[in-house]
Amino acid sequence: VQLQASGGGLVQAGGSLRLSCAASGSGFVINVMGWYRQAPGNQRELVARTFSNGNTVYADSVKGRFTISRDNAKNTVYLQMNSLKPEDTAVYYCHAHVSTSVTSSAYYWGQGTQVTVSS
């Protein structure tokens, strides 16, 4: 399974960006997909995740500003980021937990995409 992320960039504070992450491969079922981020000098932290049953989880710092969504037909997850703040600046990583059989599952990470918010 490979995760391909896109959509990062430079934006002014208050602006918006949309990240996308597509999972490719064969013979897998996605259980959870989400986004983490890591700013310089900080640990990687959860931003948002979406489960196969439609439930979503958000970090407190992004609630009300970010929206995670998923297109199951395309094995793609999106992160709509509005009202961006300079503290949202980080490398954003796509993450997925997939099942490849009834008894086998694994975690995957995509390559990071840089999000920079200028003040």
Side-chain angles (χ1 to χ4, degrees):
V1 176
Q2 291 187 327
L3 302 179
Q4 181 67 43
S6 61
L10 173 64
V11 65
Q12 289 188 331
S16 298
L17 282 174
R18 188 192 194 209
L19 305 182
S20 300
C21 177
S24 61
S26 62
F28 66 92
V29 173
I30 298 175
N31 302 315
V32 184
M33 282 190 87
W35 295 92
Y36 286 71
R37 67 186 180 187
Q38 187 167 18
N42 290 355
Q43 290 186 334
R44 192 172 296 188
E45 62 177 7
L46 173 69
V47 177
R49 63 165 66 116
T50 176
F51 297 83
S52 57
N53 62 4
N55 288 347
T56 57
V57 172
Y58 293 93
D60 288 342
S61 59
V62 307
K63 284 180 180 177
R65 300 187 298 120
F66 292 10
T67 302
I68 190 168
S69 60
R70 184 167 156 178
D71 185 332
N72 290 324
K74 296 182 179 179
N75 287 328
T76 299
V77 65
Y78 306 96
L79 185 68
Q80 179 65 44
M81 304 184 294
N82 298 330
S83 302
L84 282 160
K85 304 175 181 179
E87 50 264 44
D88 294 317
T89 296
V91 178
Y92 283 69
Y93 295 91
C94 178
H95 174 263
H97 177 246
V98 306
S99 294
T100 53
S101 73
V102 175
T103 58
S104 179
S105 64
Y107 292 92
Y108 293 90
W109 291 94
Q111 89 286 6
T113 184
Q114 178 70 46
V115 171
T116 302
V117 184
S118 63
S119 57

